[in-house]
Amino acid sequence: MWSHKPSFRFEIDNFSDQEAKITSQTFVSGGCEWYLTLYPKGETFCDDHLSLFMSVANSKSLGRGWNRSIDYYFVLLTQSDKELYRSAGNEAIYPYRPCLDLVFSPSWGFRKTLPLSKFQEKGFLENDKLIFEVYIQIVEASDVGGGGISEKKDTVDINGFKVLASQANSVRKIFSEHPDLAEDFKLKNQVVRMEYMNVLVNLIVTLHKPSENHSETELSHARSELCELKEAGFKLDWLQSKLDEVSLKRKKAVVDFHQLDGRVKNLELMKLDFKLDCLKKKLEEASLERKKSYEADGSRFQTLEERVKKLELMELDYKLDCLKTKLENVSLEKNTDADGSRVQQLEESMKNLKMMVSHLNVELDKKKGKTSDDGFLLVDDEVA
């Protein structure tokens, strides 16, 4: 009877960008470890169809005489689980691969599944995602001639399970704490029973590592193994709780890491803001210093300008005094000189001097008025 649940589900994102072969993570089914391989551009001898294979993991570590007989089939789906392809049910016997006529190969599958041209059709894949499922059913498992693990290492029998001597204490402890562990485990083949127990012991060891040492891939593998063990008949609610606890701790560790990372970034931003504030303060100080410098320079300029204005006024006053003196002298000469021509000349000189005095007075008044109005004095270059 086939299970409605796949033995493994392999999701591939950005499928159109894939060129080289794609390999899944290792998963457990029937007490054995497997992995899937997909060739998005076809295998070497078939480059116009999608090629799918399933392989025994760690095959080189398996003992002489170890073999499996299974039934399996593949299913390809879209993101919304729309079926694109379903292979025929096939039988596989390790270490013989009948579909490719290759002896002692640990892989089985199909070189030709979907034509690659299908993937070029618009809308064939949803969001460029392809899902590869495999369904496995163990028909027979054996250790021909007493080979395999039992040939290399001693085993002991604990509650109907052959286990490695090195695992004996661990298995005894498991049955002591959970006596109903295998009440519903119905498989009779001793090799399969031994492998399932080996998977269980290794899973317990994995989950008892410190939480921070678990990767997401490792936890995903653990979930797959636990699901396989429970489907085989083991009562593992206690181990499910442990897995949930480990997963929660890892999520918390990830959250704590992100929070710490966020705090570090906030500190870096605060440090940057502090530096910007310091720069702004320095710029403001520099601007203030420049302003003070300009004000100081302006004050010195104003003082100098006032001194120039005073000197110009003094110069005008001096010229005016000189002209007045000359005018008085001319007037005196006019009164004492009886010569008419001389008198006429003096009168003309006196007249000219009066005009110059009048002109200087006007200029002086203008200069003084300008100085009082806006603080600036313009010197007329024509005034001598």
Side-chain angles (χ1 to χ4, degrees):
M1 179 70 67
W2 287 101
S3 170
H4 294 295
K5 185 176 180 180
S7 300
F8 186 68
R9 181 181 173 98
F10 183 28
E11 299 185 1
I12 304 168
D13 294 316
N14 303 315
F15 182 77
S16 61
D17 296 334
Q18 306 300 325
E19 296 287 340
K21 73 174 182 179
I22 307 169
T23 301
S24 76
Q25 68 186 65
T26 301
F27 64 95
V28 176
S29 181
C32 183
E33 291 188 331
W34 315 85
Y35 66 89
L36 302 177
T37 304
L38 180 147
Y39 291 83
K41 302 302 180 184
E43 203 196 20
T44 305
F45 302 104
C46 184
D47 58 4
D48 59 350
H49 282 71
L50 191 69
S51 302
L52 308 175
F53 297 100
M54 177 179 66
S55 304
V56 176
N58 306 314
S59 59
K60 292 182 180 179
S61 65
L62 300 176
R64 179 173 56 85
W66 186 96
N67 64 78
R68 288 291 180 275
S69 176
I70 66 170
D71 288 335
Y72 71 95
Y73 66 91
F74 299 148
V75 177
L76 294 177
L77 305 164
T78 65
Q79 186 178 25
S80 62
D81 287 337
K82 176 185 176 182
E83 188 173 306
L84 302 175
Y85 170 84
R86 178 184 291 260
S87 73
N90 205 0
E91 181 183 13
I93 302 174
Y94 179 84
Y96 178 63
R97 186 182 182 184
C99 62
L100 294 181
D101 296 326
L102 294 177
V103 180
F104 300 113
S105 172
S107 300
W108 303 268
F110 303 89
R111 281 179 175 166
K112 283 190 173 184
T113 57
L114 285 172
L116 297 182
S117 58
K118 280 284 187 182
F119 294 95
Q120 305 301 320
E121 296 177 5
K122 186 176 180 181
F124 185 70
L125 283 184
E126 297 174 19
N127 298 321
D128 204 19
K129 184 170 187 172
L130 181 66
I131 299 173
F132 179 6
E133 291 184 344
V134 60
Y135 293 77
I136 301 173
Q137 189 169 266
I138 300 293
V139 176
E140 183 182 352
S142 61
D143 190 0
V144 179
I149 297 174
S150 61
E151 181 181 60
K152 295 181 179 180
K153 297 182 180 180
D154 293 333
T155 61
V156 295
D157 188 285
I158 300 176
N159 286 42
F161 287 85
K162 283 187 178 296
V163 298
L164 297 173
S166 60
Q167 297 176 335
N169 290 335
S170 298
V171 174
R172 288 193 184 97
K173 183 179 179 182
I174 294 171
F175 276 105
S176 173
E177 295 177 354
H178 309 282
D180 61 344
L181 172 70
E183 282 184 358
D184 297 331
F185 189 82
K186 303 303 181 183
L187 296 175
K188 303 300 182 183
N189 186 287
Q190 197 56 240
V191 176
V192 175
R193 293 172 69 89
M194 181 177 181
E195 289 178 351
Y196 268 111
M197 186 55 66
N198 186 54
V199 170
L200 176 59
V201 171
N202 289 333
L203 178 57
I204 292 172
V205 171
T206 297
L207 295 182
H208 280 80
K209 292 194 307 183
S211 299
E212 61 272 14
N213 293 339
H214 293 104
S215 66
E216 185 56 41
T217 300
E218 190 175 33
L219 290 178
S220 177
H221 192 186
R223 292 186 194 101
S224 176
E225 289 181 338
L226 182 60
C227 183
E228 173 69 19
L229 290 167
K230 290 170 73 175
E231 288 186 355
F234 286 105
K235 294 184 177 181
L236 296 172
D237 290 343
W238 53 275
L239 195 57
Q240 180 68 60
S241 299
K242 180 62 178 179
L243 177 57
D244 293 342
E245 178 188 342
V246 171
S247 298
L248 183 61
K249 285 183 178 179
R250 186 183 183 280
K251 288 180 181 178
K252 186 177 183 301
V254 171
V255 171
D256 290 343
F257 171 78
H258 287 310
Q259 289 179 344
L260 181 60
D261 186 54
R263 290 176 62 189
V264 170
K265 288 180 179 178
N266 287 336
L267 288 173
E268 290 175 346
L269 289 173
M270 289 173 62
K271 184 178 179 181
L272 181 60
D273 289 340
F274 177 74
K275 288 182 177 179
L276 288 174
D277 289 340
C278 289
L279 286 174
K280 286 180 181 178
K281 187 175 181 180
K282 288 183 178 179
L283 286 173
E284 290 173 356
E285 291 175 351
S287 177
L288 184 59
E289 288 296 324
R290 289 182 64 187
K291 184 177 180 181
K292 288 181 179 179
S293 177
Y294 289 152
E295 289 177 352
D297 290 343
S299 178
R300 288 196 294 271
F301 176 78
Q302 186 176 1
T303 302
L304 181 61
E305 188 179 41
E306 289 175 354
R307 291 178 63 188
V308 171
K309 289 177 183 177
K310 288 180 180 179
L311 289 173
E312 288 176 343
L313 289 173
M314 288 173 66
E315 182 183 11
L316 284 174
D317 287 337
Y318 175 74
K319 287 181 179 180
L320 187 59
D321 288 341
C322 289
L323 286 173
K324 286 181 179 180
T325 301
K326 287 183 179 181
L327 184 61
E328 289 173 356
N329 290 337
V330 169
S331 179
L332 183 60
E333 289 182 4
K334 178 183 176 183
N335 293 330
T336 57
D337 197 339
D339 188 350
S341 60
R342 176 63 175 166
V343 169
Q344 187 177 359
Q345 291 177 355
L346 290 174
E347 286 179 349
E348 289 178 357
S349 296
M350 188 173 177
K351 185 178 179 180
N352 290 334
L353 287 171
K354 285 181 178 181
M355 290 177 64
M356 291 177 66
V357 169
S358 176
H359 179 72
L360 285 173
N361 279 325
V362 171
E363 288 296 319
L364 183 61
D365 290 339
K366 286 181 179 180
K367 299 285 184 183
K368 289 180 178 180
K370 185 68 175 177
T371 300
S372 62
D373 288 342
D374 55 19
F376 290 95
L377 179 62
L378 300 176
V379 179
D380 190 349
D381 293 336
E382 295 181 355
V383 179

